[in-house]
Amino acid sequence: MAIEVNGKTIATTDNGYLENYADWDEDVARKLAEIEGIELTDKHWDVIKYLREEYINNAQNQPMERVVLKDMGKLWGSKPTSKDLYTLFPLAPTKQGTKIAGLPAVMRKGGY
């Protein structure tokens, strides 16, 4: 499969994840979010950039939800709840957020 962004064809897996995370940019994120039915806000971008930073700069770490909550709380100055993250990414913050961040699918217990 593939998506078209700014005249470029970008390869995706059958599940809609980018085949190469280096193909990602903010326009690609907007397209992936559109496909997912999500309108990106500043809080979405915070999570997306955090997930990319963790993956790229921390040995391909894909943090679990509770770690994302803790780190977003530090960034936002108030502790978010799981419900807050699911409001941003209804199909699971680490799953849907990772997809929009252009990262590989999370492959750990719990069906992620």
Side-chain angles (χ1 to χ4, degrees):
M1 297 179 59
I3 59 172
E4 293 288 326
V5 179
N6 298 330
K8 289 189 334 188
T9 300
I10 299 171
T12 63
T13 66
D14 290 340
N15 293 326
Y17 290 85
L18 295 188
E19 287 187 3
N20 181 354
Y21 74 88
D23 289 337
W24 185 90
D25 64 23
E26 289 188 4
D27 288 334
V28 171
R30 287 183 191 93
K31 180 65 174 181
L32 293 169
E34 178 186 319
I35 292 167
E36 293 291 310
I38 294 176
E39 186 174 328
L40 297 175
T41 65
D42 289 344
K43 287 194 174 188
H44 287 97
W45 285 112
D46 288 342
V47 174
I48 290 165
K49 289 176 181 177
Y50 166 79
L51 291 171
R52 285 192 61 82
E53 208 169 284
E54 281 295 305
Y55 187 83
I56 294 167
N57 298 324
N58 194 10
Q60 299 182 340
N61 180 43
Q62 292 182 302
M64 293 187 298
E65 184 180 319
R66 69 177 181 266
V67 176
V68 176
L69 283 167
K70 179 181 170 189
D71 289 340
M72 289 301 101
K74 291 176 188 174
L75 181 64
W76 295 338
S78 62
K79 185 178 176 186
T81 65
S82 288
K83 185 177 179 180
D84 295 328
L85 286 184
Y86 276 87
T87 298
L88 296 173
F89 302 101
L91 298 180
T94 54
K95 182 178 178 182
Q96 204 169 29
T98 295
K99 183 184 283 188
I100 295 169
L103 301 171
V106 178
M107 302 302 272
R108 61 176 166 254
K109 286 187 173 184
Y112 295 117

